[in-house]
């Protein structure tokens, strides 16, 4: 290869490298934009998911009357509220159908 040819070859390689650098910089900016968008969408998704969960749980647990709500609190702090065992402590992990019926049942 002659000296001139070597010089031309170098010029070509430099031009190619510059174009690769330009493309890489553009790709970096694009990725940065996509990461930002992704973060925003993740937050928005989380927010919407929470709203759906809140709406669903509101549907599944219709609001209790004040007296039932008090009984529910008492029951959840570990005491029977049913006639048969009123005030007696529930064992660990025990649940009582009569108590639950008083709180959530359709008979008031
Ligand atoms: Zn009970």
């Amino acid at each position: 290869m002659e000296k001139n040819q070597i010089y031309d070859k170098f010029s070509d390689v430099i031009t190619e490298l510059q174009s690769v650098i330009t493309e890489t910089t553009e790709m970096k900016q694009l990725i940065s934009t996509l990461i930002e968008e992704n973060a925003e969408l993740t937050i928005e998704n989380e927010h919407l998911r929470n709203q759906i969960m809140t709406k669903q749980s509101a549907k599944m647990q219709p609001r209790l009357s004040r007296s039932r709500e008090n009984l529910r609190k008492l029951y959840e702090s570990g005491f029977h509220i049913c006639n048969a065992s009123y005030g007696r402590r529930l064992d660990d992990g025990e649940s009582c159908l009569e108590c639950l019926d008083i709180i959530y049942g359709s008979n008031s």
Side-chain angles (χ1 to χ4, degrees), residues 80-82 85 96 98-99:
H80 281 275
I81 49 113
C82 59
S85 312
C96 173
E98 285 179 59
C99 288

Side-chain angles (χ1 to χ4, degrees), residues 2-3 18 21 25-26 33 39 61-63 65 75 79 82 87:
E2 283 183 30
K3 276 183 183 174
Q18 279 170 339
I21 287 172
T25 307
E26 282 171 7
T33 306
Q61 294 182 335
R63 269 187 89 76
S65 68
Y75 177 74
F79 296 97
C82 59

Side-chain angles (χ1 to χ4, degrees), residues 30-73:
L30 183 65
I31 287 173
S32 164
T33 306
L34 288 175
I35 288 173
E36 257 177 57
E37 269 181 23
N38 188 39
E40 279 171 22
L41 289 173
T42 302
I43 292 169
E44 193 181 338
N45 190 27
E46 181 95 354
H47 184 68
L48 291 173
R49 192 186 299 270
N50 284 342
Q51 278 189 333
I52 290 171
M53 297 279 271
T54 307
K55 277 187 185 159
Q56 274 179 348
S57 67
K59 255 189 219 164
M60 281 163 59
Q61 294 182 335
R63 269 187 89 76
L64 298 172
S65 68
R66 182 180 283 265
S67 59
R68 284 190 187 208
E69 185 59 31
N70 286 335
L71 290 172
R72 186 189 65 80
K73 282 180 189 158

